[in-house]
Amino acid sequence: MSGVPSDAVAAEEAAHDTVEAAVRAQLSKALGGVRGIVEAAVPTVAFTITWIVTEQLKTSLMISIGVAVLLLIVRLAQRSTPQFVLNSLVAIGIGAFFATRSGAAKDVFLPGILYNGAYAAAMVLSVVVRWPVVGFLIGSMTGDPTGWRKDPGIVRLCSRLTWLLILPCLLRVVVQLPLYYADQVAALGVAKVVLGWPFQVAALAAMVWVLARGRTPITARTPTPGA
């Protein structure tokens, strides 16, 4: 059994021989590709359109949840991973809980605003203390969760990439929070969609551009003989 971890690392190294390639692969997996991004946006689009047409909170929530459940059924029928649909469904459920308690449709979007603010703050802290979160993607590929910190060049690369993840989160808060306090429900829905997957794709494209410029070799920890 002792050879399993080293075999897994070797397999990852064979597939990704540079840090940049490894991070690109992990980011694509984390976002769920085009389908995962679209599935995350569709329920919000459904809620926003229904609200604009009816201005009925319960109807809008039912349509949004119904769309998410339909997407989940399709995923299960195709026997593909339901992870991204479930994430969307959980987010809708939390938003629905907030909105039904207050009776204000704008509160559907409050958890997302709070999440983006907290996520951005946590990532900024990770950069400040020189433990950028993107570094752990590299650790997952090498089998050494913290070994990447020994290379200052990789730490700087991971810090830059983490900032590219932070910017969309900050922008969402800056744009959506004033709309929330102004009770602009339709504008909140549009902003959430526009600042959601399009900006996520833009951030990913910027990260790919940064990654494409470098070729930092992956250095996995060599197992001790006889271990």
Side-chain angles (χ1 to χ4, degrees):
M1 295 297 291
S2 60
V4 174
S6 60
D7 290 345
V9 171
E12 293 289 3
E13 288 182 9
H16 310 294
D17 60 350
T18 66
V19 167
E20 290 77 13
V23 176
R24 283 198 300 269
Q26 289 291 80
L27 287 172
S28 178
K29 186 187 300 182
L31 290 174
V34 174
R35 183 175 178 179
I37 293 171
V38 170
E39 286 174 340
V42 167
T44 299
V45 173
F47 175 88
T48 304
I49 292 175
T50 307
W51 171 261
I52 291 172
V53 173
T54 68
E55 293 194 358
Q56 296 293 318
L57 175 58
K58 289 184 178 180
T59 302
S60 302
L61 287 173
M62 288 175 63
I63 294 294
S64 179
I65 293 171
V67 168
V69 170
L70 180 61
L71 292 172
L72 177 60
I73 292 172
V74 171
R75 278 282 193 175
L76 293 175
Q78 294 177 340
R79 296 186 178 181
S80 59
T81 176
Q83 173 189 346
F84 303 100
V85 180
L86 287 174
N87 291 346
S88 177
L89 194 56
V90 169
I92 294 168
I94 295 173
F97 174 77
F98 273 66
T100 52
R101 278 179 61 89
S102 67
K106 68 177 184 178
D107 283 343
V108 168
F109 303 97
L110 181 58
I113 296 172
L114 296 175
Y115 170 81
N116 276 282
Y119 193 55
M123 287 195 292
V124 169
L125 179 62
S126 79
V127 173
V128 170
V129 300
R130 294 184 59 78
W131 283 88
V133 295
V134 174
F136 293 99
L137 296 178
I138 295 172
S140 70
M141 301 299 292
T142 63
D144 187 346
T146 60
W148 54 273
R149 291 199 76 247
K150 299 173 184 175
D151 188 328
I154 294 180
V155 173
R156 287 193 297 270
L157 169 65
C158 292
S159 295
R160 289 196 296 269
L161 295 175
T162 301
W163 274 114
L164 289 174
L165 288 179
I166 291 169
L167 291 176
C169 294
L170 288 177
L171 186 60
R172 289 171 194 139
V173 175
V174 168
V175 172
Q176 290 181 297
L177 200 57
L179 294 174
Y180 174 82
Y181 284 117
D183 295 326
Q184 298 296 314
V185 178
L188 273 169
V190 173
K192 181 171 182 177
V193 173
V194 172
L195 298 176
W197 65 265
F199 271 75
Q200 204 68 48
V201 170
L204 179 60
M207 295 175 80
V208 168
W209 180 78
V210 171
L211 292 167
R213 299 175 64 198
R215 289 192 59 81
T216 308
I218 287 181
T219 305
R221 183 172 55 191
T222 303
T224 302

